[in-house]
């Protein structure tokens, strides 16, 4: 006949299972934290770069900046960014200096390139994966606004987003005139490349 276990024996036998259960719950809660934060749908750029180069030959005009700031709001379907024009650097690229002087001549205050747009496609970024969405908005450079549509590649991993996009731009559209380059003509068409890492934005309501 089987002997009934005493209370001490029962506790001793179940404690390892209890301890394992507590550990699993704790791990689950820790993993849930970034998902809950990302579930708010607001991400901010923690590091980003902008590269600009002439469309056909990169050696004529080539510069970059790591001062990109902005954010992505999935709840409201918006994407915004800005970069100070003076932060663009182009080593061994005299035309980059000419470009910055041409923009600076328009005003005494710091000039920014800014973008404000709306996400046209549904972004599913609550789980790990990648997708391409279209974003339509206004690009402002040199005080001139132009509408543009960009295709943005997004990669979501562990609550973090990686964003990459490129779009063509014309200096003429923004009233920027660069001097003629002997044997090459005048540069007008350029390509703007944007890369950024985004993290869930802090919930200001909980501060």
């Amino acid at each position: 006949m089987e002997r009934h276990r005493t209370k001490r024996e029962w506790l001793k036998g179940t404690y390892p299972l209890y301890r394992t259960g507590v550990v699993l719950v704790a791990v689950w809660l820790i993993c849930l934290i970034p998902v809950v934060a990302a579930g708010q749908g607001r991400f901010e750029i923690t590091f980003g770069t902008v590269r600009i180069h002439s469309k056909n030959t990169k050696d004529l005009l080539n510069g970059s900046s790591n001062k990109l700031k902005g954010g992505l709001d999935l709840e409201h379907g918006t994407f915004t960014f800005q970069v100070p024009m003076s932060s663009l650097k182009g080593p061994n690229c005299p035309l980059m200096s000419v470009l910055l002087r041409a923009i600076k001549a328009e005003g005494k205050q710091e000039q920014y390139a800014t973008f404000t747009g709306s996400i046209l496609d549904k972004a599913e970024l609550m789980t790990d994966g990648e997708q391409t969405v279209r974003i339509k908005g206004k690009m402002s450079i040199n005080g001139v606004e132009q509408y543009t549509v960009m295709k943005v590649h997004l990669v979501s991993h562990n609550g973090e987003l990686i964003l990459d996009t490129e779009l063509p731009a014309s200096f003429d559209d923004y009233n920027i005139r660069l001097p003629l380059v002997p044997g090459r003509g005048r540069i007008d068409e350029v390509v703007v490349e944007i890369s950024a890492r985004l993290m869930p934005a802090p919930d200001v309501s909980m501060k």
Side-chain angles (χ1 to χ4, degrees), residues 3-4 10 15 32-33 35 39 46 72 91 112 131 139 141 143-144 158 174 176 199 203:
R3 182 176 65 86
H4 289 290
W10 183 83
Y15 178 73
L32 183 64
I33 290 175
V35 176
T46 57
L72 185 74
Y112 287 85
Q131 69 178 117
M139 177 77 79
I141 302 175
V144 180
N158 289 339
Y174 296 97
I176 299 173
M199 295 295 292
D203 188 352

Side-chain angles (χ1 to χ4, degrees), residues 20-38:
T20 301
V22 171
V23 172
L24 290 175
V25 171
V27 171
W28 178 77
L29 289 174
I30 291 173
C31 294
L32 183 64
I33 290 175
V35 176
V36 172

Side-chain angles (χ1 to χ4, degrees), residues 40 42 202-207:
Q40 298 170 2
R42 295 184 300 108
D203 188 352
V204 295
S205 64
M206 298 182 64
K207 289 184 179 180

Side-chain angles (χ1 to χ4, degrees), residues 3 12 71 130-131 157 159 195:
R3 182 176 65 86
K12 184 177 180 181
E130 59 182 281
Q131 69 178 117
H157 182 66
S195 300

Side-chain angles (χ1 to χ4, degrees), residues 85 103 111-114 139-145 169 174 176 192:
M85 296 301 295
I103 295 176
Q111 296 287 324
Y112 287 85
T114 64
M139 177 77 79
S140 176
I141 302 175
N142 200 33
V144 180
E145 292 183 343
Y174 296 97
I176 299 173
V192 180

Side-chain angles (χ1 to χ4, degrees), residues 85-106:
M85 296 301 295
S86 62
S87 65
L88 287 169
K89 307 298 180 184
N92 303 318
C93 184
L95 268 182
M96 182 57 66
S97 299
V98 174
L99 170 62
L100 295 180
R101 285 198 300 269
I103 295 176
K104 189 175 181 180
E106 297 296 327

Side-chain angles (χ1 to χ4, degrees), residues 103-187:
I103 295 176
K104 189 175 181 180
E106 297 296 327
K108 296 181 180 180
Q109 296 183 345
E110 173 68 272
Q111 296 287 324
Y112 287 85
T114 64
F115 177 83
T116 302
S118 300
I119 304 173
L120 301 179
D121 305 307
K122 186 177 181 180
E124 299 287 353
L125 300 172
M126 295 301 101
T127 57
D128 289 358
E130 59 182 281
Q131 69 178 117
T132 299
V133 298
R134 295 168 301 150
I135 300 179
K136 179 180 180 180
K138 291 188 295 185
M139 177 77 79
S140 176
I141 302 175
N142 200 33
V144 180
E145 292 183 343
Q146 294 287 347
Y147 279 96
T148 185
V149 177
M150 62 178 73
K151 288 186 177 181
V152 178
H153 183 243
L154 297 169
V155 177
S156 175
H157 182 66
N158 289 339
E160 175 182 301
L161 294 182
I162 300 298
L163 178 152
D164 289 288
T165 186
E166 68 174 45
L167 62 152
S170 169
F171 286 146
D172 280 348
D173 289 343
Y174 296 97
N175 295 336
I176 299 173
R177 298 283 288 178
L178 293 182
L180 291 170
V181 178
R184 302 288 187 93
R186 177 178 284 109
I187 295 178

